[in-house]
Amino acid sequence: MLNKIQLHWQIFIALLLAIAFGILFPNQVDYVTWMGDVFLRALRMIIIPLIFASIVSGVTGIGSSENLGRMSLKTISYYLLTSLFAIVTGLVMVNLIKPGVGADLGLSMVVMELDVTADSFGQTLIKIIPTNIIDAMAKGDLPAIIFFAIFFGFFTTKVNARYSAPIIDFFNAVFEVMMSITMFVIKFTPLGVFAIVAGLIAEQSGNLLMVFGSLGIYMLTVIGALAIHAFITLPVLLKFLGRANPVKHARGMSVPLLTAFSTSSSSATLPLTMEAVEFKSGVSNKTTSFVLPLGATINMDGTALYQCVAVLFIAQAYGIEMGILQQIIIVITALLASIGAAGIPMAGLVIMTIILTAVGLPLEGIGLILAVDRILDMFRTAVNVWSDSCGAVIIAKSEGEVTNV
Ligand code: ASP
């Protein structure tokens, strides 16, 4: 019976049941949270071999250095462009709505337990070069793994075919196996989502009371701006730049989008995103495997937008005027900070300290928005994944691929 209901509906129903369960039986969630742990662990188990094999197979599939250069340029340009659009949308909304003006600074009594030290951008950039790839893999350091995988794939195409052929075959095979493990794990998404969301609701229900007052208006500003980006900007780009059908693509993406929303992790969702973009939207394996792992690590439209709104909300709450120059600094640092944020829950909040420091706002300001961050994380992560997937389609189309959307 359950098999007859489409997977995205199963996940949606699981989401609703989880909300009810978390509210009605907050003390019983411990009985189900293990299912969420099992699901997340299974996804994380897939990620490192999947990313490595997928990038090597993607880069070797792209072929010449010329093609690789063109693909990289397109991918990075798309990611920068959409993140900028997102930030500007956030900037306009927060300046229009001004959710922080008159906010009660007493809210900052929320205890800050975050480790708010983030690397400077320069350090982050240097760390992309792994000193030890095994160590990077063990630590799950995705930018470093991607960096090495691109190099490895690129130089594989430079050696004699006698050596490159078995390497290419091997990584293509690993990629296939990892994708079939992914398809198996996907079946358990409704159970994982149910457990994760039930636990989250039980834990966050106290914070939900905060949605009244200026924090509520702040949340609506973030969600409204994210909605404009997700439902207007990205579909318009998809339609006119990619000549694709946004509704059809969105339908195919429902499983990864609901998973991103529930897990708040674009990295953990990556296997599902790749599966949907390749098999539902019909983007080639070569494009999917190059564009998506890169996107899950560096392209975070939702995070960039959210950081911009959050920083200006804090400034407004403290009554500190942000002039045009400072707003430009916020735009640039939000872009960099979103690139540097990892695709894991609440990473965007931690790395936001870079922006606060850059414009001289008090770091304690984070305390103002901490209570509702976990909830907003769900929305921004879904937008992050949506933007990556639109990028894959647009780039595939620009390479002359025939897709399903
Ligand atoms: N949770 C987000 C993601 O994984 C990152 C963030 O905290 O904004 O995409």
Side-chain angles (χ1 to χ4, degrees):
M1 157 67 187
L2 204 60
N3 283 338
K4 294 222 176 70
I5 307 174
Q6 280 181 321
L7 187 61
H8 57 266
W9 286 118
Q10 293 182 28
I11 300 174
F12 191 68
I13 294 166
L15 204 65
L16 297 182
L17 289 177
I19 294 172
F21 190 91
I23 292 174
L24 296 176
F25 311 106
N27 299 326
Q28 267 70 45
V29 287
D30 286 347
Y31 295 115
V32 296
T33 40
W34 64 271
M35 289 193 297
D37 291 341
V38 169
F39 178 64
L40 278 178
R41 289 185 77 100
L43 285 177
R44 293 205 185 109
M45 168 185 88
I46 299 170
I47 292 171
I48 306 293
L50 175 70
I51 287 198
F52 197 82
S54 110
I55 293 202
V56 173
S57 126
V59 170
T60 51
I62 290 168
S64 68
S65 24
E66 214 175 281
N67 286 349
L68 182 65
R70 194 186 57 240
M71 275 288 263
S72 316
L73 198 70
K74 276 187 197 171
T75 309
I76 308 269
S77 311
Y78 168 86
Y79 287 158
L80 290 180
L81 184 79
T82 55
S83 296
L84 266 181
F85 281 156
I87 296 172
V88 172
T89 308
L91 194 71
V92 171
M93 290 285 278
V94 73
N95 277 308
L96 282 179
I97 301 177
K98 299 193 174 28
V101 173
D104 178 9
L105 280 178
L107 285 176
S108 64
M109 293 312 289
V110 178
V111 200
M112 277 190 56
E113 283 169 1
L114 280 177
D115 171 17
V116 287
T117 48
D119 281 343
S120 77
F121 187 69
Q123 278 170 312
T124 312
L125 212 61
I126 288 179
K127 280 197 188 146
I128 197 175
I129 307 173
T131 50
N132 178 343
I133 184 63
I134 308 290
D135 183 49
M137 284 184 170
K139 291 199 177 111
D141 180 358
L142 296 189
I145 297 171
I146 292 176
F147 183 85
F148 181 76
I150 293 178
F151 258 73
F152 188 85
F154 179 71
F155 284 98
T156 298
T157 63
K158 297 282 168 213
V159 297
N160 188 302
R162 219 175 85 214
Y163 304 117
S164 62
I167 293 183
I168 295 173
D169 275 350
F170 174 76
F171 282 106
N172 283 345
V174 173
F175 180 66
E176 287 299 319
V177 174
M178 294 320 296
M179 283 310 269
S180 67
I181 299 181
T182 302
M183 285 194 247
F184 173 71
V185 174
I186 285 180
K187 297 201 182 104
F188 299 94
T189 315
L191 294 176
V193 162
F194 173 77
I196 295 168
V197 176
L200 197 71
I201 294 285
E203 181 192 299
Q204 299 280 323
S205 48
N207 290 336
L208 285 175
L209 294 175
M210 298 277 216
V211 301
F212 300 106
S214 34
L215 215 49
I217 304 173
Y218 158 72
M219 280 180 84
L220 288 181
T221 312
V222 174
I223 295 173
L226 286 173
I228 293 176
H229 188 69
F231 295 114
I232 300 175
T233 313
L234 291 174
V236 165
L237 288 177
L238 206 54
K239 178 109 196 117
F240 295 102
L241 215 58
R243 293 209 176 72
N245 181 336
V247 178
K248 222 168 153 194
H249 176 54
R251 242 185 243 143
M253 286 299 295
S254 47
V255 170
L257 290 179
L258 284 167
T259 310
F261 182 79
S262 311
T263 60
S264 292
S265 170
S266 27
S267 294
T269 312
L270 180 65
L272 278 60
T273 317
M274 293 180 74
E275 196 266 349
V277 170
E278 187 174 339
F279 298 110
K280 299 270 171 23
S281 297
V283 173
S284 77
N285 181 273
K286 156 184 107 183
T287 308
T288 314
S289 50
F290 181 72
V291 175
L292 290 178
L294 217 60
T297 346
I298 64 170
N299 182 43
M300 302 209 175
D301 294 6
T303 301
L305 180 157
Y306 145 84
Q307 287 175 330
C308 178
V309 176
V311 168
L312 283 162
F313 173 78
I314 293 171
Q316 290 169 354
Y318 278 92
I320 302 172
E321 191 71 41
M322 290 279 120
I324 189 78
L325 184 71
Q326 265 144 328
Q327 302 221 8
I328 293 174
I329 297 179
I330 293 176
V331 170
I332 297 169
T333 42
L335 187 66
L336 300 179
S338 70
I339 293 173
I344 53 172
M346 288 173 89
L349 179 80
V350 177
I351 210 151
M352 206 174 82
T353 47
I354 296 181
I355 314 176
L356 292 173
T357 314
V359 287
L361 284 170
L363 292 187
E364 300 79 59
I366 286 191
L368 287 178
I369 52 165
L370 194 57
V372 293
D373 182 75
R374 191 61 187 77
I375 300 161
L376 290 178
D377 201 0
M378 304 170 86
F379 293 90
R380 63 183 191 252
T381 307
V383 174
N384 289 345
V385 169
W386 173 230
S387 171
D388 296 344
S389 78
C390 293
V393 172
I394 291 174
I395 289 158
K397 292 275 191 171
S398 77
E399 290 284 304
E401 282 182 29
V402 181
T403 64
N404 299 337
V405 290

Short mmCIF file of all heavy atoms in Angstrom, two decimals, residues 264-267 300 303 306 341-349 377 380-381 384, ligand 1:
data_model
loop_
_atom_site.label_atom_id
_atom_site.label_comp_id
_atom_site.label_asym_id
_atom_site.label_seq_id
_atom_site.Cartn_x
_atom_site.Cartn_y
_atom_site.Cartn_z
N SER A 264 18.33 20.08 7.02
CA SER A 264 19.13 21.33 7.07
C SER A 264 20.57 21.09 6.69
O SER A 264 21.48 21.71 7.24
CB SER A 264 19.10 21.97 8.45
OG SER A 264 17.84 22.43 8.73
N SER A 265 20.80 20.18 5.77
CA SER A 265 22.18 19.94 5.35
C SER A 265 22.23 19.68 3.85
O SER A 265 21.74 18.65 3.37
CB SER A 265 22.77 18.76 6.11
OG SER A 265 24.00 18.40 5.54
N SER A 266 22.84 20.62 3.11
CA SER A 266 22.92 20.38 1.67
C SER A 266 23.92 19.28 1.35
O SER A 266 23.77 18.60 0.34
CB SER A 266 23.20 21.65 0.87
OG SER A 266 23.89 22.61 1.59
N SER A 267 24.92 19.09 2.21
CA SER A 267 25.88 18.01 1.97
C SER A 267 25.21 16.65 2.12
O SER A 267 25.37 15.77 1.27
CB SER A 267 27.03 18.06 2.96
OG SER A 267 27.78 19.19 2.73
N MET A 300 25.55 28.76 -2.00
CA MET A 300 24.52 28.79 -0.96
C MET A 300 23.75 30.10 -1.03
O MET A 300 23.98 31.03 -0.26
CB MET A 300 25.17 28.64 0.40
CG MET A 300 25.96 27.37 0.52
SD MET A 300 26.02 26.80 2.17
CE MET A 300 26.86 25.25 1.92
N THR A 303 21.69 30.76 2.18
CA THR A 303 22.55 31.16 3.30
C THR A 303 23.01 32.61 3.13
O THR A 303 22.98 33.40 4.07
CB THR A 303 23.77 30.22 3.38
OG1 THR A 303 23.28 28.89 3.55
CG2 THR A 303 24.70 30.57 4.50
N TYR A 306 20.12 34.94 3.79
CA TYR A 306 19.79 34.94 5.22
C TYR A 306 20.83 35.74 6.02
O TYR A 306 20.49 36.51 6.92
CB TYR A 306 19.71 33.48 5.70
CG TYR A 306 20.19 33.28 7.09
CD1 TYR A 306 19.33 33.49 8.17
CD2 TYR A 306 21.50 32.89 7.36
CE1 TYR A 306 19.79 33.34 9.46
CE2 TYR A 306 21.96 32.74 8.64
CZ TYR A 306 21.10 32.96 9.68
OH TYR A 306 21.55 32.83 10.96
N ALA A 341 30.79 28.69 4.04
CA ALA A 341 29.97 27.90 4.97
C ALA A 341 29.88 26.46 4.50
O ALA A 341 29.73 26.19 3.31
CB ALA A 341 28.58 28.52 5.07
N ALA A 342 29.96 25.55 5.45
CA ALA A 342 29.83 24.13 5.10
C ALA A 342 28.34 23.80 4.96
O ALA A 342 27.50 24.51 5.49
CB ALA A 342 30.44 23.28 6.18
N GLY A 343 28.05 22.73 4.22
CA GLY A 343 26.65 22.37 4.01
C GLY A 343 26.08 21.55 5.15
O GLY A 343 25.54 20.48 4.94
N ILE A 344 26.25 22.06 6.36
CA ILE A 344 25.74 21.34 7.54
C ILE A 344 24.85 22.28 8.36
O ILE A 344 24.92 23.49 8.18
CB ILE A 344 26.90 20.81 8.42
CG1 ILE A 344 27.87 21.95 8.76
CG2 ILE A 344 27.64 19.69 7.72
CD1 ILE A 344 28.92 21.58 9.76
N PRO A 345 24.03 21.73 9.27
CA PRO A 345 23.11 22.60 10.00
C PRO A 345 23.82 23.75 10.74
O PRO A 345 24.85 23.55 11.38
CB PRO A 345 22.44 21.65 10.99
CG PRO A 345 22.52 20.32 10.34
CD PRO A 345 23.79 20.32 9.57
N MET A 346 23.26 24.91 10.61
CA MET A 346 23.68 26.13 11.32
C MET A 346 25.07 26.64 10.98
O MET A 346 25.59 27.54 11.66
CB MET A 346 23.53 25.96 12.83
CG MET A 346 22.06 25.97 13.22
SD MET A 346 21.76 25.59 14.92
CE MET A 346 21.84 27.17 15.68
N ALA A 347 25.66 26.13 9.92
CA ALA A 347 26.99 26.61 9.53
C ALA A 347 26.94 28.08 9.16
O ALA A 347 27.85 28.85 9.46
CB ALA A 347 27.51 25.80 8.35
N GLY A 348 25.84 28.48 8.53
CA GLY A 348 25.70 29.86 8.09
C GLY A 348 25.72 30.84 9.25
O GLY A 348 26.23 31.95 9.14
N LEU A 349 25.19 30.40 10.38
CA LEU A 349 25.13 31.28 11.54
C LEU A 349 26.54 31.50 12.11
O LEU A 349 26.92 32.62 12.46
CB LEU A 349 24.24 30.64 12.61
CG LEU A 349 24.10 31.44 13.89
CD1 LEU A 349 23.10 32.56 13.70
CD2 LEU A 349 23.67 30.57 15.05
N ASP A 377 17.05 27.74 9.10
CA ASP A 377 18.04 26.90 8.41
C ASP A 377 17.35 25.94 7.44
O ASP A 377 17.84 25.65 6.36
CB ASP A 377 18.83 26.10 9.48
CG ASP A 377 20.16 25.62 8.95
OD1 ASP A 377 20.47 25.90 7.78
OD2 ASP A 377 20.90 24.96 9.70
N ARG A 380 16.46 27.94 4.29
CA ARG A 380 17.59 28.38 3.45
C ARG A 380 18.31 27.19 2.83
O ARG A 380 18.80 27.27 1.71
CB ARG A 380 18.55 29.28 4.23
CG ARG A 380 19.26 28.67 5.41
CD ARG A 380 20.12 29.71 6.10
NE ARG A 380 21.02 29.14 7.08
CZ ARG A 380 20.90 29.26 8.40
NH1 ARG A 380 19.89 29.93 8.89
NH2 ARG A 380 21.77 28.72 9.22
N THR A 381 18.33 26.05 3.54
CA THR A 381 19.00 24.88 2.97
C THR A 381 18.24 24.38 1.73
O THR A 381 18.86 24.02 0.72
CB THR A 381 19.11 23.76 4.02
OG1 THR A 381 19.72 24.30 5.18
CG2 THR A 381 19.94 22.60 3.50
N ASN A 384 19.23 26.56 -1.02
CA ASN A 384 20.60 26.24 -1.45
C ASN A 384 20.59 25.08 -2.46
O ASN A 384 21.21 25.14 -3.51
CB ASN A 384 21.46 25.84 -0.26
CG ASN A 384 21.78 27.00 0.66
OD1 ASN A 384 21.60 28.16 0.29
ND2 ASN A 384 22.25 26.71 1.87
N1 ASP B 1 22.49 24.41 6.61
C1 ASP B 1 22.89 25.06 5.42
C2 ASP B 1 23.21 24.05 4.35
O1 ASP B 1 23.56 22.95 4.62
C3 ASP B 1 24.08 25.97 5.64
C4 ASP B 1 23.67 27.09 6.57
O2 ASP B 1 23.74 26.92 7.77
O3 ASP B 1 23.19 28.12 6.08
O4 ASP B 1 23.09 24.34 3.19
#
